[in-house]
Amino acid sequence: MLRGWVAFTRRTIAPYQAAIVRIGISLCFGGFLLREWPNRRVLYGDLAPWSTGLARQMLASNHAFTILAWSDNRWWFEAVYAAAIVVSALLLVGWRTRTMSVLFMVLVLSIQNRSVLVGDGGDNVVHLMAIYLAFTRCGTVWSLDARAARLGRLVERDVTGVALWLLLGAALAYCQLSGFATLGMLDMGAYDWGTVFWLFWLFVGAREWLRRRQPDGEGADLLDALTTMVHNSAMLVIAVEVCFIYATAGWYKIQGSLWEGGTALYFPLHLAYFDPWPGLSALLGGNSILVCLITYGTVMVQVSFPFLVFNRRIKNVLLVLMMIEHAAIAVTLGLPFFSLAMIAADAVFLPTGFLTRLGEGVAKGVARATHSPVLRQSIKRPRRATESEQETVSLIR
């Protein structure tokens, strides 16, 4: 038990899984915002049928959070929408992941909670994963932060990080003290969203101050252990959340007569709204045996996954089946972002060995495509930073 406790408080588990979830979710949200750029004002902005007044009434009752409720001016919406695209891109490449993950959470909640009636299941997954990622060390690997650690770019004075921290603190103070942010309307009892964001800000500042003043002190070790525990707990929550998603989806399907009869897949294949490839939909929908097999197979995989997730070999087979299913949904039903969000969430269960080989293959492919001798040399003879160095850069970023 003592060994397990030491590992839980000192060892960052599933760093590759956290990175692949970060990449997938940020790519999904950023890609969605770019696709809906021509329709952004109608979906979430000043031209939306769900007006700012209606949004504020709902927020007052459900205590959700969105900074788009602070102002109904077009310039504010355009700034928030553009910032969401930029932050998604920065989180994707892993630049200052500690800060970007929190900003990503804020912007995802802000845009989605502005018009809750236009979302789907994929939006719900992005919504949840954005919150969980804010508590993880998702930039330990496969990020610009990790590259800085690998190349030994550990500087004593992180001017950019300090400036970013001060800027965000000043912005948060202005929003509250000037009255521009209606955080009081989003009261959650004894606390509000402002308190949550101040705790994030103060924790990062305290960790950086202790790292500089007392790098080997008990305070820095305590915050390191707390950060590790929060990350490990968040990764566990992500895994449990994926199991809940499939369990509830599967058991609700069992209660439906169309799924019980094996014909549920037939109907979406014949709806014009979900028909990007009419020929393919007609081909699949016209084969009754295939429709029945896919319908029953979907239910069996979703219901059984939470119970079989502890068996490594069976789990890997189920992951392959579910990812193939989501890819098929993206093609046949025209739901690419829903499928990408689910695949990114499923990736939390991917084996570490597979992910490391995948990362090495991608790096070698990029090196060949760009004909970069520097990148090729770094792949052949990488400088491996110690675990403490990687965790230090991850905390800074």
Side-chain angles (χ1 to χ4, degrees):
M1 182 176 293
L2 179 60
R3 184 180 301 176
W5 173 252
V6 171
F8 181 71
T9 58
R10 302 299 298 176
R11 178 173 171 264
T12 301
I13 65 172
Y16 290 94
Q17 288 79 358
I20 198 67
V21 173
R22 181 200 87 227
I23 294 171
I25 295 299
S26 58
L27 178 63
C28 178
F29 188 66
F32 171 79
L33 295 181
L34 290 174
R35 189 192 69 174
E36 298 299 336
W37 179 266
N39 309 311
R40 64 192 185 281
R41 296 178 62 191
V42 177
L43 290 175
Y44 306 106
D46 54 312
L47 301 180
W50 190 256
S51 64
T52 305
L54 292 174
R56 287 171 176 168
Q57 292 180 30
M58 178 173 285
L59 294 171
S61 61
N62 63 11
H63 306 293
F65 174 79
T66 172
I67 62 177
L68 289 177
W70 298 351
S71 175
D72 54 2
N73 291 331
R74 180 183 176 184
W75 69 266
W76 176 244
F77 165 73
E78 298 284 8
V80 172
Y81 198 93
I85 296 175
V86 173
V87 170
S88 298
L90 293 177
L91 184 62
L92 174 66
V93 299
W95 185 80
R96 308 282 171 174
T97 50
R98 176 67 62 184
T99 301
M100 291 303 122
S101 61
V102 177
L103 291 179
F104 183 75
M105 176 189 70
V106 171
L107 294 168
V108 168
L109 297 181
S110 297
I111 292 179
Q112 291 188 351
N113 289 336
R114 170 59 179 83
S115 299
V116 294
L117 301 181
V118 301
D120 58 17
D123 294 317
N124 293 335
V125 173
V126 173
H127 190 107
L128 293 171
M129 296 302 152
I131 297 175
Y132 302 150
L133 283 174
F135 297 92
T136 65
R137 286 175 165 173
C138 55
T140 305
V141 297
W142 293 351
S143 65
L144 295 180
D145 297 340
R147 182 175 183 272
R150 186 175 65 251
L151 298 178
R153 295 176 182 173
L154 298 175
V155 294
E156 291 296 328
R157 298 186 180 277
D158 184 17
V159 178
T160 303
V162 173
L164 185 61
W165 182 76
L166 292 175
L167 178 63
L168 292 176
L172 184 57
Y174 171 79
C175 289
Q176 286 193 288
L177 297 178
S178 67
F180 177 67
T182 54
L183 291 172
M185 181 186 68
L186 307 177
D187 186 26
M188 300 189 299
Y191 305 98
D192 58 25
W193 283 100
T195 304
V196 174
F197 298 141
W198 278 119
L199 288 176
F200 271 116
W201 187 80
L202 290 173
F203 182 85
V204 173
R207 174 64 187 87
E208 175 65 12
W209 185 83
L210 287 174
R211 187 190 70 83
R212 293 185 178 186
R213 300 292 183 179
Q214 302 174 354
D216 299 325
E218 294 183 356
D221 291 340
L222 176 62
L223 289 184
D224 278 342
L226 180 60
T227 304
T228 302
M229 287 190 293
V230 169
H231 164 87
N232 295 340
S233 300
M235 294 304 297
L236 177 61
V237 170
I238 291 176
V240 173
E241 184 66 44
V242 174
C243 291
F244 279 151
I245 290 174
Y246 284 118
T248 53
W251 285 105
Y252 271 110
K253 286 181 173 66
I254 289 177
Q255 302 175 42
S257 59
L258 296 179
W259 290 95
E260 182 180 351
T263 60
L265 179 63
Y266 175 85
F267 296 96
L269 290 175
H270 289 79
L271 291 177
Y273 186 77
F274 300 105
D275 195 13
W277 308 99
L280 180 60
S281 298
L283 179 64
L284 293 176
N287 191 326
S288 59
I289 297 178
L290 185 60
V291 168
C292 183
L293 291 176
I294 295 177
T295 301
Y296 284 135
T298 299
V299 174
M300 288 188 291
V301 168
Q302 292 183 348
V303 171
S304 63
F305 182 79
F307 303 100
L308 300 177
V309 70
F310 300 102
N311 188 296
R312 181 172 60 87
R313 294 182 178 179
I314 298 179
K315 176 203 68 175
N316 293 338
V317 173
L318 293 179
L319 281 176
V320 172
L321 293 176
M322 287 189 295
M323 290 185 177
I324 292 175
E325 176 189 356
H326 292 310
I329 290 174
V331 175
T332 58
L333 301 182
L335 298 172
F337 296 107
F338 165 78
S339 299
L340 179 57
M342 288 305 305
I343 291 174
D346 292 342
V348 72
F349 291 107
L350 289 175
T352 301
F354 168 77
L355 290 176
T356 54
R357 290 192 297 271
L358 176 64
E360 293 173 358
V362 171
K364 292 178 181 178
V366 173
R368 294 191 186 99
T370 58
H371 303 286
S372 174
V374 176
L375 182 57
R376 190 176 295 111
Q377 184 179 3
S378 65
I379 295 173
K380 293 180 179 179
R381 294 185 298 274
R383 177 198 180 274
R384 295 185 178 273
T386 63
E387 183 177 354
S388 61
E389 288 177 334
Q390 293 179 354
E391 290 185 358
T392 300
V393 171
S394 180
L395 286 170
I396 297 172
R397 307 308 191 193

